[in-house]
């Protein structure tokens, strides 16, 4: 599924006058239900990583009776501290040269206001404003997602349409706190009690640090937490990919 505003879905979020008013977590949850019904699937395994873990948790907590199992990676729950860690300065202490590039678009903006400052740039209708901001935002994430830098991933982040849509959608969700109350996904994890699941988490995930995966595991008794010792955030690092396939195959054989 290409979610609203990205991939082959239209209208695309890279359009100068893109309107994301109907692009919310809860619209996406209902999109998943429409897709499930359209395909005639009674119950299904749901797999998601990073933002996909957020959406998978939102869906499963809303429709637990429709989910057979969950396989999640790089847990992200849009708590304020998660956003502050990665975008407002702390993670930049590990990647100072990369974070300096990120800050070039918002010079002089104090920590705590940088997501909001990017919002103003990303949703400016002028491509000479929103395209460079989109590239900087997306490059920051693509350059810090893997245990070792992936040049191909970084190059992809410089493609104007992709970068603009990616950055606009992420930023839109962040300024609206994911359309959650603070801590909602962890607070409502009791809804997952009858759903078995595997949480795959890279030990050196800078984008979504392991503490959130640990907290979810504690709040969800039916979960198994697998820490991959030599991985960052990306799904395609060997140890992470192996664990995702192993968990999915194991559930398929049930």
């Amino acid at each position: 599924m290409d979610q609203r505003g990205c991939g082959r879905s239209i209208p695309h979020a890279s359009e100068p006058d893109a309107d994301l008013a109907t692009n919310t977590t809860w619209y996406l949850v209902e999109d998943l239900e429409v897709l499930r019904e359209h395909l005639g699937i009674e119950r299904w395994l749901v797999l998601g990583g990073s933002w996909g873990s957020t959406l998978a948790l939102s869906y499963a907590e809303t429709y637990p009776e429709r989910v057979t199992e969950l396989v999640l990676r790089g847990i992200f729950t849009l708590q304020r501290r998660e956003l502050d860690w990665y975008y407002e300065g702390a993670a930049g202490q590990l990647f100072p040269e990369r974070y300096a590039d990120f800050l070039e678009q918002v010079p002089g903006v104090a920590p705590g206001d940088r997501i909001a400052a990017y919002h103003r740039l990303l949703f400016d209708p002028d491509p000479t404003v929103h395209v460079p901001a989109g590239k900087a935002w997306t490059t920051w994430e693509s350059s810090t997602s893997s245990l070792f830098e992936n040049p191909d991933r970084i190059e992809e982040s410089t493609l104007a349409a992709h970068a603009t849509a990616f950055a606009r959608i992420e930023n839109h969700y962040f300024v609206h706190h994911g359309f959650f109350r603070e801590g909602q996904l962890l607070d409502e994890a009791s809804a997952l009690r009858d759903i078995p699941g595997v949480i795959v988490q890279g030990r050196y995930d800078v984008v979504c640090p392991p503490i959130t995966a640990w907290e979810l595991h504690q709040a969800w008794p039916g979960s198994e937490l697998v820490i991959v010792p030599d991985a960052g955030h990306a799904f395609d690092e060997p140890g992470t990919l192996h664990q995702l396939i192993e968990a999915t195959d194991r559930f398929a054989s049930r």
Side-chain angles (χ1 to χ4, degrees):
M1 170 176 124
D2 287 347
Q3 296 172 30
R4 295 182 183 214
C6 65
R8 291 174 294 175
S9 292
I10 54 175
H12 200 263
S14 64
E15 296 296 325
D17 58 350
D19 180 4
L20 302 189
T22 60
N23 201 323
T24 75
T25 304
W26 307 111
Y27 276 115
L28 296 182
V29 165
E30 295 310 313
D31 288 347
L32 285 168
E33 265 300 271
V34 169
L35 179 61
R36 182 191 63 77
E37 293 172 353
H38 173 73
L39 295 175
I41 298 170
E42 182 177 355
R43 300 174 72 221
W44 54 4
L45 180 151
V46 179
L47 184 151
S50 191
W51 160 252
S53 76
T54 317
L55 182 55
L57 287 168
S58 303
Y59 177 83
E61 290 178 5
T62 304
Y63 294 104
E65 72 281 2
R66 296 300 182 188
V67 179
T68 55
E69 303 93 6
L70 283 167
V71 178
L72 306 176
R73 169 197 59 84
I75 304 303
F76 181 45
T77 61
L78 275 103
Q79 295 178 81
R80 185 70 251 175
R81 62 171 171 78
E82 295 173 273
L83 298 176
D84 286 347
W85 155 262
Y86 190 61
Y87 291 100
E88 300 294 352
Q93 296 182 52
L94 297 175
F95 296 89
E97 78 285 13
R98 289 297 188 183
Y99 196 64
D101 293 339
F102 177 79
L103 291 181
E104 283 185 2
Q105 294 293 316
V106 288
V109 176
D113 296 325
R114 290 163 181 167
I115 291 175
Y118 257 97
H119 187 77
R120 292 189 290 272
L121 299 177
L122 290 168
F123 288 89
D124 189 302
D126 185 349
T128 67
V129 176
H130 66 244
V131 171
K135 290 182 178 181
W137 177 283
T138 308
T139 300
W140 165 239
E141 185 164 333
S142 64
S143 62
T144 57
S145 291
S146 304
L147 186 61
F148 300 104
E149 279 197 0
N150 183 324
D152 292 338
R153 183 172 286 120
I154 295 171
E155 182 179 357
E156 181 182 277
S157 69
T158 66
L159 301 176
H162 167 80
T164 302
F166 183 93
R168 278 181 166 174
I169 293 171
E170 275 200 339
N171 182 278
H172 164 74
Y173 276 79
F174 297 167
V175 298
H176 290 94
H177 309 290
F179 304 92
F180 303 117
R181 68 175 185 278
E182 182 69 12
Q184 180 175 338
L185 290 178
L186 294 178
D187 291 345
E188 297 184 1
S190 59
L192 310 176
R193 58 185 172 274
D194 296 325
I195 302 175
V198 175
I199 302 166
V200 179
Q201 179 69 42
R203 172 66 72 191
Y204 300 106
D205 186 339
V206 173
V207 182
C208 298
I211 182 61
T212 310
W214 172 256
E215 291 173 341
L216 175 62
H217 176 53
Q218 298 303 301
W220 175 18
S223 66
E224 173 189 349
L225 175 62
V226 179
I227 300 287
V228 183
D230 56 350
H233 182 67
F235 84 94
D236 54 358
E237 294 181 293
T240 299
L241 188 58
H242 169 78
Q243 292 295 337
L244 293 171
I245 293 171
E246 194 281 333
T248 308
D249 285 349
R250 174 156 44 98
F251 285 137
S253 68
R254 279 159 40 102

